[in-house]
């Protein structure tokens, strides 16, 4: 990177209030919010995070060579160091990072997707359609970041500020014209994307998630809304799901099943092969046959069609491109077996997402629908019983297991899930006691045709997946939910190799081999 003077960075930060002390100019060699990455002539930004406070490491950063410190608290100052006090350290950090990389987002056409569910599918659809129309596209998604021929596994939906600007810069270097990105509520709340402005944005839906961070649904929505009110270019285009109670209030172009929508979805007459039959816009019908299952995916397709249409792309060409087969890793991804049993892996990790996926699979009229899921640790606890209740109501049999427990005890997470299952009156496999040893007598009416219970707890995720495959019979559907594309399981801060897809494939091969 070209080394700019500190004064150049401060000029870029004129959009925020800065209180400067001990100013002297120098060529900045690096920008960091981690003191371990500081080198001579660096700028260090002290950011208070959820687990640690960067202000504690200011002296360490100075000892390593920082000559300017950005902060938002009262601190002791040393001679020979410039101090810049700001109201929002992370926003300042984001602006500094983008200046360090020469504001690469200004050289890209940005398309953003926000919402609780559907972001990744929408992002992959957008990338695929734009590429089919001859555009070079970079991708920032929950699954991966890609630019040119390079693909990097994603650590989070929207990367932290320095990594985000690094990827923008790589996209410019790879001659990308467009960047399609998922924009998380955390990124918007923290202003992680700096001064980037979007050419087009989509709102998919909003349901209970991340309330450990946002605390309530209003705050969660207000964070999402920023993409439309603060980060959209004046001439930018925006579309929203008008069937969503939050989306309908954004006051932009709409899509949905409702007759009042600008882009009206025509529901599918063949749920086994496609999620919709077309879209009506301004009295004109466009035929679409997307190779995706579930009504919820018709909203993802409609959002993409609506936005690209509003951006001026040929609607017939967009409809044709959306009717091609487009793979989205870990999103209702079918895993093939030799028997007449359908197996799916999906990232559904909220109650609304699980409801949508199970509803879609229920519409395929399986003989039995088996659901395997858990909940992540150190995340929104309120959704755990809701997910348990939904699985108990929509699946014929539920196996509750471990997801990414992180630093929580898996059995405690499972207890929270079971609270929701018990509300439904659905019985466990053991007719005498449940997983915690409590008496649980079952009336005859509560048993299924084989006289067994309706759910089981198998904490070991690998064992749970194998058990689901073992109990599946002809014309059944098995759903492994929660982790989707992920290739790890995080336990006590360590990520161990684990892929639902690979474990499921192995289980199918072993179990079906024994049945042959």
């Amino acid at each position: 990177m070209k080394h700019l003077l500190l004064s150049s960075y401060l000029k870029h930060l004129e959009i925020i209030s800065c209180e400067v002390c001990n100013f002297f100019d120098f060529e900045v060699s690096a920008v960091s919010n981690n003191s371990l990455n500081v080198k001579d002539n660096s700028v260090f930004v002290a950011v208070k995070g959820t687990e640690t406070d960067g202000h504690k490491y200011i002296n360490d950063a100075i000892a390593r060579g920082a000559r300017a410190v950005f902060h938002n608290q009262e601190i002791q100052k040393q001679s020979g160091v410039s101090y810049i006090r700001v109201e929002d350290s992370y926003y300042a950090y984001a602006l500094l990072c983008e200046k360090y990389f020469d504001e690469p987002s200004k050289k890209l056409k940005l398309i953003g997707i926000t919402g609780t569910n559907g972001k990744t599918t929408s992002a992959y659809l957008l990338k695929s359609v734009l590429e089919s129309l001859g555009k070079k596209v970079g991708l920032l998604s929950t699954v991966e970041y890609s630019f040119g021929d390079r693909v990097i596994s994603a650590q989070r939906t929207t990367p932290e500020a320095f990594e985000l600007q690094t990827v923008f810069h790589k996209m410019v270097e790879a001659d990308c014209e467009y960047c399609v990105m998922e924009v998380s509520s955390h990124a918007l709340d923290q202003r992680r994307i700096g001064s980037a402005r979007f050419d087009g944005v989509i709102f998919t839906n909003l349901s209970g998630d991340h309330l450990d961070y946002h605390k309530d649904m209003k705050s969660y929505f207000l964070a999402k809304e920023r993409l439309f009110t603060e980060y959209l270019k004046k001439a930018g285009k925006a579309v929203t799901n008008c069937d969503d109670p939050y989306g309908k209030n954004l006051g932009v172009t709409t899509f949905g099943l409702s007759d009042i929508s600008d882009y009206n979805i025509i529901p599918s007459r063949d749920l086994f092969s496609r999620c919709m039959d077309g879209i009506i816009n301004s009295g004109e019908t466009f035929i679409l046959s997307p190779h995706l299952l579930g009504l919820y995916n018709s909203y993802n397709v409609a959002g993409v069609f609506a936005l690209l249409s509003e951006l001026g792309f040929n609607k017939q060409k967009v409809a044709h491109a959306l009717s091609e087969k487009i793979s989205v890793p870990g999103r209702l991804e079918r895993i093939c077996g030799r028997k007449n049993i359908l197996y799916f892996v999906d990232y559904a990790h909220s109650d609304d997402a699980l409801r949508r996926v199970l509803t879609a699979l229920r519409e395929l009229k399986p003989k039995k629908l088996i659901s395997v899921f858990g909940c992540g640790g150190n995340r929104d606890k309120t959704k755990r019983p809701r997910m348990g209740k939904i699985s108990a109501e929509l699946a014929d049999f539920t196996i509750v297991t471990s997801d990414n427990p992180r630093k929580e005890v898996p059995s405690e997470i499972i207890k929270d899930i079971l609270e929701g299952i018990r509300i439904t009156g659905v019985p466990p496999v053991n007719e005498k006691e449940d997983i915690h040893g409590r008496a649980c007598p079952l009336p005859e009416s509560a048993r299924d045709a084989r006289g067994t219970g309706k759910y089981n707890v198998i904490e070991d995720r690998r064992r749970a997946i194998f058990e689901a495959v073992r109990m599946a019979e002809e014309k059944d559907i098995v759903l492994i939910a929660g982790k989707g594309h992920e290739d790890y399981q995080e336990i006590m801060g360590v990520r161990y190799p684990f892929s639902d897809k690979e474990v499921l494939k192995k289980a199918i091969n072993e179990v079906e081999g024994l049945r042959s």
Side-chain angles (χ1 to χ4, degrees):
M1 299 300 103
K2 181 181 178 181
H3 290 180
L4 301 174
L5 292 172
L6 177 62
S7 55
S8 297
Y9 284 91
L10 290 178
K11 185 172 179 59
H12 187 61
L13 266 67
E14 285 180 346
I15 59 175
I16 63 175
S17 176
C18 297
E19 181 183 315
V20 183
C21 180
N22 297 345
F23 176 77
F24 64 93
D25 226 354
F26 66 95
E27 283 192 355
V28 175
S29 65
V31 175
S32 181
N33 66 347
N34 185 336
S35 64
L36 297 177
N37 296 331
V38 167
K39 57 185 180 181
D40 287 342
N41 297 322
S42 288
V43 168
F44 176 69
V45 187
V47 178
K48 184 176 182 180
T50 55
E51 295 185 4
T52 188
D53 187 346
H55 292 80
K56 296 178 181 179
Y57 303 95
I58 289 175
N59 289 337
D60 181 54
I62 293 171
R64 292 172 183 270
R67 297 184 68 192
V69 173
F70 284 74
H71 61 100
N72 66 351
Q73 299 176 11
E74 284 292 337
I75 57 172
Q76 287 189 331
K77 299 178 177 66
Q78 300 182 26
S79 60
V81 178
S82 292
Y83 292 90
I84 302 92
R85 183 164 184 173
V86 294
E87 184 177 338
D88 186 339
S89 288
Y90 201 103
Y91 187 29
Y93 176 59
L95 294 171
L96 290 166
C97 289
E98 70 181 11
K99 187 64 178 175
Y100 178 78
F101 284 99
D102 193 24
E103 302 176 70
S105 68
K106 290 185 177 180
K107 301 161 191 172
L108 296 163
K109 294 175 182 175
L110 299 183
I111 297 181
I113 311 103
T114 198
T116 305
N117 301 305
K119 296 189 298 296
T120 300
T121 298
S122 298
Y124 273 81
L125 292 175
L126 277 163
K127 181 176 185 290
S128 178
V129 174
L130 285 170
E131 287 177 338
S132 75
L133 296 172
K135 307 299 180 181
K136 197 161 186 179
V137 186
L139 176 69
L140 280 155
S141 76
T142 303
V143 179
E144 63 190 16
Y145 313 143
S146 67
F147 39 88
D149 297 327
R150 289 199 59 190
V151 178
I152 302 170
S153 294
Q155 297 300 308
R156 53 175 64 83
T157 298
T158 308
E160 65 92 25
F162 192 87
E163 186 181 7
L164 176 61
Q165 298 301 326
T166 300
V167 176
F168 281 158
H169 176 70
K170 295 292 185 183
M171 288 180 181
V172 173
E173 284 189 327
D175 295 322
C176 292
E177 180 183 358
Y178 284 85
C179 168
V180 172
M181 67 180 290
E182 298 180 44
V183 189
S184 70
S185 57
H186 293 73
L188 289 164
D189 184 66
Q190 296 165 5
R191 301 182 184 276
R192 201 183 293 170
I193 51 182
S195 65
R197 294 297 180 264
F198 289 78
D199 295 87
V201 295
I202 300 173
F203 180 90
T204 58
N205 51 67
L206 197 77
S207 59
D209 202 5
H210 306 302
L211 298 186
D212 54 317
Y213 178 87
H214 295 289
K215 307 306 178 187
D216 56 59
M217 289 298 293
K218 181 180 179 181
S219 299
Y220 184 26
F221 172 69
L222 290 175
K224 297 284 191 185
E225 189 183 36
R226 280 184 173 178
L227 186 60
F228 294 77
T229 58
E230 297 181 34
Y231 290 101
L232 182 65
K233 290 179 179 178
K234 286 185 178 180
K237 303 297 182 181
V239 299
T240 184
N241 174 2
C242 69
D243 295 336
D244 181 88
Y246 291 92
K248 69 181 182 181
N249 295 320
L250 287 170
V252 298
T253 300
T254 60
F255 60 89
L257 285 169
S258 172
D259 291 337
I260 64 169
S261 60
D262 298 306
Y263 290 83
N264 189 212
I265 297 169
I266 303 172
S268 173
R269 292 167 295 175
D270 182 4
L271 296 173
F272 279 92
S273 61
R274 58 184 181 272
C275 62
M276 65 194 300
D277 284 344
I279 287 177
I280 300 173
N281 173 240
S282 299
E284 187 175 0
T285 299
F286 298 90
I287 304 301
L288 286 89
S289 299
H291 295 260
L292 296 169
L293 296 176
L295 179 63
Y296 69 96
N297 267 321
S298 69
Y299 283 91
N300 298 328
V301 174
V304 170
F305 181 87
L307 181 61
L308 292 178
S309 298
E310 292 298 303
L311 287 171
F313 289 95
N314 182 282
K315 295 176 184 177
Q316 292 291 0
K317 290 182 178 180
V318 172
H320 177 75
L322 284 169
S323 298
E324 296 295 317
K325 188 169 184 178
I326 302 171
S327 298
V328 186
R331 271 58 178 179
L332 207 56
E333 185 173 355
R334 184 175 174 183
I335 307 300
C336 293
R338 294 190 296 274
K339 303 295 182 181
N340 191 17
I341 302 170
L342 296 179
Y343 301 96
F344 292 93
V345 168
D346 193 86
Y347 189 55
H349 60 283
S350 70
D351 49 305
D352 183 56
L354 189 61
R355 176 183 59 79
R356 291 169 186 262
V357 172
L358 287 173
T359 298
L361 296 179
R362 175 61 66 195
E363 289 172 345
L364 300 181
K365 303 188 186 314
K367 181 179 178 183
K368 182 166 74 268
L369 176 55
I370 301 168
S371 166
V372 180
F373 82 98
C375 290
N378 303 110
R379 297 293 187 269
D380 184 2
K381 293 183 179 182
T382 64
K383 66 182 179 182
R384 295 173 185 174
R386 296 198 302 267
M387 290 181 71
K389 182 174 183 290
I390 283 167
S391 186
E393 290 174 341
L394 294 178
D396 296 294
F397 194 90
T398 296
I399 299 178
V400 181
T401 188
S402 182
D403 190 281
N404 290 319
R406 297 184 177 89
K407 295 182 180 180
E408 283 195 67
V409 178
S411 61
E412 293 302 310
I413 298 173
I414 289 171
K415 282 182 183 179
D416 292 339
I417 296 171
L418 294 182
E419 287 179 13
I421 293 180
R422 293 193 186 97
I423 290 172
T424 67
V426 167
V429 167
N430 191 323
E431 297 190 21
K432 294 182 180 179
E433 60 182 31
D434 64 15
I435 189 66
H436 302 293
R438 290 183 282 252
C440 188
L442 305 182
E444 192 66 34
S445 60
R447 304 175 187 172
D448 69 11
R450 295 184 298 168
T452 62
K454 299 286 189 177
Y455 76 88
N456 197 1
V457 174
I458 303 176
E459 186 177 302
D460 184 287
R461 193 171 182 91
R462 184 180 185 278
R463 283 185 52 228
I465 293 172
F466 267 76
E467 179 58 26
V469 174
R470 272 192 287 267
M471 68 183 298
E473 300 171 330
E474 190 171 339
K475 297 185 179 180
D476 285 352
I477 293 179
V478 175
L479 171 68
I480 313 298
K483 293 174 59 59
H485 64 280
E486 293 178 349
D487 59 3
Y488 64 87
Q489 188 172 29
E490 187 174 341
I491 303 170
M492 290 298 169
V494 179
R495 290 189 170 188
Y496 297 93
F498 191 98
S499 165
D500 279 358
K501 287 167 56 176
E502 295 308 313
V503 173
L504 180 56
K505 287 177 183 177
K506 188 172 183 180
I508 292 169
N509 288 336
E510 287 189 17
V511 173
E512 291 190 351
L514 291 172
R515 289 173 176 169
S516 299

